[in-house]
Amino acid sequence: MNEALPAVERAAAAPSRPDAAALPEIPLVDVGAAGPVALLAAERARAEALLAAGQRDYGAPLFGWGARLSRRWLARTGNPYAGEIAALAEASGHPGVYLLNLSYEWFCTSAVAPDPAAAGSRMLRTLDWPLHGLGRHTVVARQQGAAGPYLNVTWPGFVGVATAMAPGRFSAALNQAPMRRDGHSLVFDWLSNRWRVWQSSGLPPVHLLRRVFDECRGYAEARARLIETPLCLPAFFVLSGAEAGEGCVIERLEDRAMVHEAPACVANHWLTPGLTGDARGVESSERMAQMETLYRSVADGFSWVVPPILNACTRLAVVANAAQGTLDVQGWEEDDPATAVFRL
């Protein structure tokens, strides 16, 4: 590897199941201000595996068509990360980078509450997505923004932030919001929702969360930015500050927000009465009900990753406490751990 590229560190693994010692470790890659472009250079094989999986799942024709539309949308809206995505596509030699960076097909179960065993606020979160390999190829990137360093639980080739922890500042994660229904077929409703995104100039939620970690110096600033910034589609944000009283779930429409103070949890259906839409993923209400019985008091680790929170699409589980600077991560595939536990 070129000496100018970031060195790959290996985090200590903690067993979660009897055969955990045989599981691969999640790499900790220090990319600094060079960000996702440096991460792709350091972990190119993982990026190639995920792009190949995406092409298999979407099909080559749809993958190519989606990549072209994604590139056009980024250019038309003046997206702040369009240049970075273009650099990743060129470096990887694969235009599918455009589509995967704007894919938003995951569903999640997340919670925030005062840490029951330590100072500060704690975030629990799982991320589910049918794309195979996401759990196996998870990395933790130590990135540097204007506001300071943070740990991004991510994948090489991806510019946004879906889950991250900034020591001493905050932790945050993104859940997908319900799909609006226009009273027609599921296919029509999906196309109608995509048309709204095409017409919008707001930020994708993963790009807003990237900006928050890059630029916001504390919980209050991050909270305001997540509430006020226009989005191109609805989303849920889970935000956990460095103090025990700092935490909330933010339900976002494109131009307004509904805030639920911690302790709180969310899956993929609306919490606010009167908002309608199809819940995303499998058993959203059941996943949230299970989380509600656990998140205030469960010990650190992943004993809480049980059905229905755990399902065949679960790819990632995370526990983060920004006050303590602690981060636990494990990748999953098909109901089973795919990596050892990363513990920082």
Side-chain angles (χ1 to χ4, degrees):
M1 182 180 295
N2 188 308
E3 290 182 358
L5 297 179
V8 178
E9 303 170 60
R10 297 292 163 179
S16 64
R17 293 198 176 183
D19 60 347
L23 293 171
E25 296 174 0
I26 294 174
L28 172 62
V29 187
D30 194 344
V31 299
V37 175
L39 181 60
L40 177 66
E43 293 287 343
R44 187 181 183 91
R46 294 177 188 271
E48 290 174 348
L50 289 172
L51 286 165
Q55 185 159 313
R56 285 195 304 271
D57 285 3
Y58 286 101
L62 181 59
F63 203 60
W65 176 75
R68 289 190 295 273
L69 282 182
S70 298
R71 185 175 185 175
R72 287 173 57 192
W73 185 85
L74 288 165
R76 185 180 64 79
T77 59
N79 184 277
Y81 300 107
E84 204 167 59
I85 295 172
L88 290 170
E90 183 177 0
S92 67
H94 202 306
V97 165
Y98 286 99
L99 177 61
L100 290 184
N101 267 282
L102 291 183
S103 292
Y104 188 42
E105 305 301 335
W106 59 67
F107 29 99
C108 314
T109 314
S110 305
V112 57
D115 195 314
S121 184
R122 184 180 67 166
M123 180 182 76
L124 308 180
R125 99 82 115 252
T126 58
L127 182 148
D128 304 341
W129 196 354
L131 183 63
H132 296 289
L134 280 180
R136 186 178 305 110
H137 297 297
T138 297
V139 302
V140 176
R142 183 184 284 122
Q143 294 181 217
Q144 179 71 38
Y150 60 95
L151 295 155
N152 184 10
V153 183
T154 188
W155 305 273
F158 186 65
V159 307
V161 170
T163 312
M165 186 273 290
R169 293 193 283 150
F170 49 82
S171 307
L174 167 69
N175 286 24
Q176 191 180 26
M179 182 171 69
R180 289 187 176 99
R181 293 304 303 267
D182 291 321
H184 299 279
S185 68
L186 181 62
V187 172
F188 180 92
D189 290 334
W190 186 88
L191 291 172
S192 175
N193 279 269
R194 292 299 174 183
W195 178 249
R196 288 189 181 97
V197 173
W198 180 259
Q199 295 293 99
S200 173
S201 59
L203 276 178
V206 290
H207 293 178
L208 173 56
L209 205 53
R210 164 82 181 273
R211 277 200 153 175
V212 164
F213 275 96
D214 278 343
E215 300 173 4
C216 294
R217 299 188 179 277
Y219 172 82
E221 188 178 351
R223 186 179 188 274
R225 189 79 68 92
L226 292 171
I227 289 171
E228 297 168 4
T229 305
L231 293 177
C232 66
L233 75 170
F236 299 148
F237 295 105
V238 179
L239 181 63
S240 174
E243 302 296 331
E246 293 181 337
C248 62
V249 168
I250 301 170
E251 294 182 293
R252 276 299 312 269
L253 298 173
E254 290 87 344
D255 56 359
R256 63 188 176 100
M258 292 67 64
V259 181
H260 307 268
E261 301 296 341
C265 59
V266 67
N268 300 102
H269 58 276
W270 294 111
L271 305 179
T272 300
L275 295 177
T276 60
D278 282 353
R280 306 282 186 164
V282 179
E283 298 182 322
S284 179
S285 296
E286 291 81 359
R287 283 186 280 119
M288 181 169 161
Q290 179 79 343
M291 181 65 89
E292 285 179 329
T293 69
L294 298 169
Y295 76 101
R296 291 177 177 87
S297 59
V298 69
D300 283 350
F302 297 112
S303 62
W304 54 276
V305 185
V306 293
I309 293 172
L310 174 65
N311 58 76
C313 294
T314 300
R315 299 292 178 259
L316 191 64
V318 177
V319 180
N321 182 323
Q324 302 298 315
T326 56
L327 179 69
D328 288 3
V329 183
Q330 187 162 35
W332 294 71
E333 300 280 349
E334 299 290 348
D335 294 334
D336 285 316
T339 72
V341 175
F342 171 101
R343 180 159 291 155
L344 188 72

